Structures are given as C-alpha cells and as structure tokens.
Amino acid sequence: MQTTVLALSLVLMAAVAWAFISAARAAGSGSVATNTESRRKWLIVGLAVVGVVVTALSLRPWPLAVGPTSAVVNVSGGQWYWEIDTDKVPLGKPVAFNVHTVDVNHGFGVMNDAGRLLFQVQAMPGYVNQVEYTFNTPGAYHVVCLEFCGVGHHDMATDFTVASN
Amino acid sequence: MTAIAEARGPAAIAPQTGAVKLTMLLAGVVILLMMLFGLTMRAAQGGLIELEPALFYQIMTAHGAGMVGVAGLTGATILWYFTGRYVELLAGVYWAFLGLFLLGVVLILGAIFVGGYAGAWTFLFPLPAISGGLWTPGAAIVFLLGYVSIGVGFLLLHLEVGRKLIATYGGIGGALAWPVAFGNGRPEDAAPPAVVAAMASTIFNTLGIVVGAAVLVASIVNLAFPAFTVDALLAKNMIFFFGHVFINASIYMAVIAVYEIVPEYTGKPWKTTRMFAIAWTVVLLFVLAVYPHHLMQDWAMPGWAVAMGQIVSYFSAIPLIAVTAFSLLVYLRGAKSMRWDLASALLVLGVAGWTAGSVPAVLDGMIVVNKVMHNTQWVPGHFHTYLILGEVAMAFGFMAWLARRRDESLSGLPGAFFWAYVAGGTGFVVMFLISGAMSIPRRWAVHLPQWHLQAQIASAFAVLIILAATMFVLRYLMRLGKG
C-alpha cells in the first residue's frame, strides 16, 4: 500500500511540475488557447468521475468496520507506556483491539517486524476506540505511539507476538 | 480596478505600505528562524547533533506554532494590502492586528523557552494540563493566551475587511460575485478576483478562529480549574476545525498576490469569470466541511463525518486543480508578454507547489491510506509541500515584489537563489514522503538508526532552502534600506 501511494504521488506531482514548467516556458508567446472552457469542463468531469469511482471502491466495504471477532484484545495507553491484556494474539482470525487511554491522546500503531505500519487507531480520553486486523504471519509485532503525547512520546513502545497455530 | 469599484470611488491605492513592508520583514526573519528550528530537528533525527528530547519537543512546538502563525501573518498581510486597492481600510486596525500578533509571539516564545511548554502547536486536550512534569499549568496558560492574542488580532482584521467589502459590493453575495456565479450578472460588473478571495477567506477564517477561541478558552479554564473538563472528542473536533481552516485560509489569502501581481508582468488582467466565482463559493463550503479527514483514526467519530472528510477532501482539490492551477497555466500560455523575475517566479512556484502538495494530501485523506500513513512523516511531507513550495513561496514572492526594481530578470544570483530554493524544497519534502512511505513516525525526538539516513539527506536539502531563503530576506532588507 505505502509504496503504491508513494509512487502514485510522485508521478502525479511530477505531472503537475511538468505542466507548470511547460506553461512557464510558453509564457509570453501569446499562443491562442482553443476550447479552454471546454477542456476545463472535461477536466472537472474527469476528476469528478474518478472521485466517485475511487470513493465507491475505497469506502465499500467500510474500512473502519469491526465485525464479530474471535478475539478481543484490550489495550491501555498512558504516559508513556502501553498495556496489552494478552500475550497471545491469534493468527489468521480477525482480532478486535479495544484501545483507550488513562491520560492524554495517544496513537496505537502496530508495525510488523520489518517496521512497516499495518494499522493504527487513536486512544482518546473518555472513549474506547476499536480497530480490527487479521494477522496472517506469525512473529513479533511492535506497538508505537503515533500521537504526540509529551516528552516520552518516542519511547512509548511495546511488543506482542502472534503465535503460529 | 473594475467598473463597479471605480463607480464607488477610489480607495487607498497602497494602504499602509510601510506597515506591510515592516510586517513582511518580520515575517521573513521569523520564517528563517523557523527553518533553522526545522533543520535542527531533522539533524537531531539524523543523529548529526544531540538534542535532549525535552528541548526537541519545545523546538517542535515553537516550529509548529511559528510556521502556522507566520503563514497566517503573511497571508493576512497580502489580503489586507490588496483589499486596500478596492476599499478604504482603517490603518489602526492593521496596527492593532500586528501589535496583538507580536504580543502573542512574545507570550508563546516565553511559554516555550522560559516555561518549558512543549505540548505541540495543536494543544490537543488534555495534553496542556498533563505534561508529565515537563511544564506547569501556568506555562500552558501563557501559551494559549498567546494564541488568543493572535486570534483577536485576526478577528479585528477580518471584521474590518469584511464590513468594508460588504458595504462596497452590496453584501456578502456581491463580494463573492454571486450575481455572476448564480445569476445573470455581467463578469465586467463583478467583484474583482482579489475581493472574491478576500471575502471567502474572511468568512471561513473568522468562523475557524471563533471555534478556535472557544476551545482555547475551555482549555485555559481547564488549566486554571481542573474540575472543569471538556469532552476530548469535541475538543479534538474544534481544534482540528480551527487548525485546518486557519492554515488553509493562509494559502487562500496568499493567492491574492498571484491575482494582483502576475498581471503586472503580463499586461493581461486576471478577471472574475463565472467559473472563478463558483469555484470560490465551493471552496468556502469545502474548507469548512473537510476537517474530519484529520479524525479518521478516531473510531468514536460518526461514520458519516469521516466519510464526508474523505469525499470533501478529494473534491476540494477540483477547484484548486481545475480553476486556480488550470487558469494560471492557460493565462501564462495566453499572455503576449511575460517578464520573469524573482517575484513572478516565486508566485507561480507558489501555485505549483500548492497544487503538487494536494496530491499526497488527498491520498492521505482516504481512510484506507490514512490507516497506514496518518501521523507518519507522510503528513509533514504533504504540508511542507504546500507551505515551503506554496504559501511561503508566495510570501517570498510578495516580498520580492514589494522591493522590486524596474526591468529586473531572473538571471544571475536571483535565479540561482530561486532554483536553489526549488531544489532544496523539492528534495526536503520528497524525503519526508519517502520516510512516510517507510512508516517512520512523525514528531519523534529520537529516531532509530535505520531512519538516520533519510533525516540526514533531508538536513542537506534544508540547508539549501535556508541559504536561498536567507538571500531572499537579505535582498529584501537591503532594498528596503535603499528605499
């Protein structure tokens, strides 16, 4: 996901840069633009169509849904520690993480052993936020804080293990 | 000036030029200082220097508050200066705005570097009150009072601009060119582009600041009387509404410089068209509605609000791409003449950088992407794109224009500074984006060794930006001195 997003971003940003450099080079030539408003309308229609398609594809199924799960893991965050109520997170089954905080806002981010962020959810005072994830690879996973929470923010980390069945 | 404005009598052509020039000099110095703070943080993350975490987070707080503040300051100054071409504005209001801003800066810097406050510019409730022993509630109160002071100054400025535009252009609708957008009004009778942009920005920035003031006061009361608490989700909504609107308003105000200055280089006026007027009304609505895209990882948020955040986030880019950027591209190509100097180049760069920055921002505004990119370095990657290469570029362009000389060009040293700024800015933001794609978290004082190289490369690009920006400010200062 992240690599695709980066590649897409860089390509589109380069396209924007190319459009501006071309126009800057042509500036002052007095070239008569034809069908400007027609081209603009098609650009708007094109962007809108892409937007509708991308919206429909990316919101269904609802990406924040938490369904019936086989396991629930309760997570508590505080300045500057994480507490997880189990050290046995199942493999290959949806796991619901119930995340809350005892003090300020924190960000519960889970990375795989390669350091790639898999999912995250905020821990907010007075609320229990839920996030669902299915682990398909056994091994060690790392929890980091992704919401600035004070001087120990970068030290707020822990690990858990997804055991092979 | 349009026919309607001419018919209503001439306004001051160059309102408070001295105050505006002074403001831009102060802004230039603050931008340089904030850039040095940014370099310090990237160098620390790259292991090039050692920085205590407490000091890192103080610098981070100053950098965030300072850059957002100075973006707002430069945007509002541009708005004030060019609105003054169409309506007569009270000089005292501008001085009050500037005085309150400077008072706010003193309070904020004092709270951070004397009081030790390091709760980030976003003052996310209840962090100001729960510091883990790093700062006192008093320091947090002083920091928040600094925001209040700055906010009151902005409200005064917007109220003065708003009331004069409403009085001159026949109400809010007239100033937003609604007769052209939604009626049978003639474009030649419509409010000029600068007025439309100023009216829209005034409306959404006023609403944003009022909401910001409410949560600031609630936070201050909480600090003074801890028994008074605020719902954390409500506070978060209010803070991100305020923050999102304010930083967007800074860019939308700064683009007025493009509408007003670039025509001087082409001899071709920038006109209010039906599409332009519709786009600004759409922008007005979208800027107010899009902020839930900052709250996508808050499961407690209503699903419809988060979905709206994603949808509006995407569709917000359409007026920018299809109207502002597209119009500038067509405008440049169609101009019979164009003179490039530091001012015109930086202003066009500003629109290009703003547009380019919208790409990673829109992608981050998708829930599925946000789940794995939010609060990684992807986020500073996109906002530094539309600040360094967008709003700040426009501000530097406005400064260069204020101190312009006849028949200048982009050759020689100014051209070298300009391209150094472009290269440094591009490299710097791309390193953030790459780091974000590698899941490196944002706002960490200490980075793992495997993340050092990215920060080191970014530091080198930051040096390049700072060198170029220093030259922009020194050149401006020397020219002001010569008159």
Side-chain angles (χ1 to χ4, degrees), chain A residues 104-105 147-149, chain B residues 60-61 64-65 68 108 117-130 135 139-148 208-220 222-223 230 232 234-244 246 443:
Chain A
V104 301
N105 287 273
E147 183 63 66
F148 177 64
C149 56
Chain B
M60 183 190 81
T61 302
V68 171
I108 288 169
Y117 178 77
W121 83 271
T122 44
F123 64 95
L124 209 52
F125 179 85
L127 182 58
I130 305 177
W135 64 85
I141 289 174
V142 172
F143 180 85
L144 298 179
L145 285 174
Y147 273 21
V148 171
I209 291 168
V210 167
V211 172
V215 71
L216 279 168
V217 170
S219 297
I220 290 169
N222 167 256
L223 283 157
V230 184
L234 174 64
K236 206 170 193 178
N237 272 269
M238 294 171 78
I239 287 169
F240 281 112
F241 177 79
F242 152 69
H244 177 89
F246 188 82
R443 290 176 162 167

Side-chain angles (χ1 to χ4, degrees), chain A residues 79-150:
Chain A
Q79 286 175 323
W80 291 277
Y81 62 88
W82 291 108
E83 282 182 357
I84 302 177
D85 71 348
T86 179
D87 54 358
K88 290 182 181 175
V89 176
L91 178 72
K93 296 171 184 171
V95 178
F97 291 86
N98 293 336
V99 182
H100 84 286
T101 172
V102 298
D103 42 47
V104 301
N105 287 273
H106 301 281
F108 176 71
V110 174
M111 292 178 169
N112 64 16
D113 213 24
R116 182 59 57 101
L117 185 61
L118 302 176
F119 63 93
Q120 64 178 296
V121 72
Q122 292 270 303
M124 194 192 315
Y127 291 86
V128 176
N129 281 335
Q130 281 192 312
V131 62
E132 182 185 288
Y133 190 78
T134 301
F135 295 92
N136 293 314
T137 307
Y141 288 82
H142 310 287
V143 178
V144 295
C145 185
L146 289 176
E147 183 63 66
F148 177 64
C149 56

Side-chain angles (χ1 to χ4, degrees), chain A residues 1-3 5-6 8-10 12-13 16-33 36-37 39-41 43-44 46-52 54-55 58-59 62-66 79-80 102-106 111 115-132 144-157, chain B residues 53-54 57 60-61 118-120 124-127 130-132 134-135 231-234 236 275 296-300 303 306-307 310-311 314-315 318 321-323 325-330 332-338 340 348 351-352 355-357 359-360 363 366-376 378 385 429-430 433-434 436-446 451:
Chain A
M1 166 75 85
Q2 287 98 325
T3 307
V5 170
L6 175 65
L8 181 61
S9 281
L10 294 181
L12 292 175
M13 291 168 83
V16 170
W18 175 82
F20 272 87
I21 291 169
S22 309
R25 282 186 171 162
S29 62
S31 61
V32 180
T36 300
E37 289 312 309
R39 282 159 53 208
R40 188 201 304 271
K41 281 175 186 164
L43 177 62
I44 293 171
L47 289 170
V49 168
V50 169
V52 170
V54 169
T55 299
S58 64
L59 293 183
W62 180 237
L64 299 178
V66 176
Q79 286 175 323
W80 291 277
V102 298
D103 42 47
V104 301
N105 287 273
H106 301 281
M111 292 178 169
R116 182 59 57 101
L117 185 61
L118 302 176
F119 63 93
Q120 64 178 296
V121 72
Q122 292 270 303
M124 194 192 315
Y127 291 86
V128 176
N129 281 335
Q130 281 192 312
V131 62
E132 182 185 288
V144 295
C145 185
L146 289 176
E147 183 63 66
F148 177 64
C149 56
V151 72
H153 170 53
H154 57 280
D155 281 331
M156 193 172 157
Chain B
Y57 291 125
M60 183 190 81
T61 302
L124 209 52
F125 179 85
L127 182 58
I130 305 177
S131 70
L134 198 60
W135 64 85
D231 182 276
L233 183 60
L234 174 64
K236 206 170 193 178
M275 188 62 76
M296 287 176 167
Q297 301 315 315
D298 291 297
W299 194 81
V306 177
Q310 171 172 326
I311 294 166
Y314 177 87
F315 284 90
I318 295 181
I321 294 169
V323 181
F326 184 84
S327 296
L328 181 58
L329 295 173
V330 170
L332 288 173
R333 287 179 177 278
K336 289 193 171 62
S337 66
M338 178 66 199
W340 290 105
V348 173
V351 179
T355 310
V359 174
L363 286 166
M366 293 175 63
I367 297 170
V368 290
V369 175
N370 193 266
K371 208 166 188 172
V372 293
M373 302 294 246
H374 181 61
N375 279 346
T376 68
W378 188 262
T385 307
V429 299
V430 166
L433 294 174
I434 290 171
M438 295 175 71
S439 300
I440 300 175
R442 68 182 292 210
R443 290 176 162 167
W444 274 27
V446 181
W451 300 338

Side-chain angles (χ1 to χ4, degrees), chain B residues 237-323:
Chain B
N237 272 269
M238 294 171 78
I239 287 169
F240 281 112
F241 177 79
F242 152 69
H244 177 89
V245 168
F246 188 82
I247 196 63
N248 272 269
S250 304
I251 307 172
Y252 283 111
M253 292 188 289
V255 81
I256 293 171
V258 175
Y259 300 154
E260 289 286 320
I261 295 174
V262 175
E264 291 185 13
Y265 288 80
T266 61
K268 181 182 166 191
W270 195 296
K271 295 176 181 169
T272 296
T273 62
R274 184 161 183 263
M275 188 62 76
F276 178 91
I278 292 172
W280 268 98
T281 298
V282 171
V283 164
L284 169 58
L285 298 174
F286 280 3
V287 166
L288 295 172
V290 74
Y291 82 93
H293 68 182
H294 294 282
L295 298 158
M296 287 176 167
Q297 301 315 315
D298 291 297
W299 194 81
M301 281 289 286
W304 64 265
V306 177
M308 180 183 76
Q310 171 172 326
I311 294 166
V312 177
S313 177
Y314 177 87
F315 284 90
S316 292
I318 295 181
L320 169 60
I321 294 169
V323 181

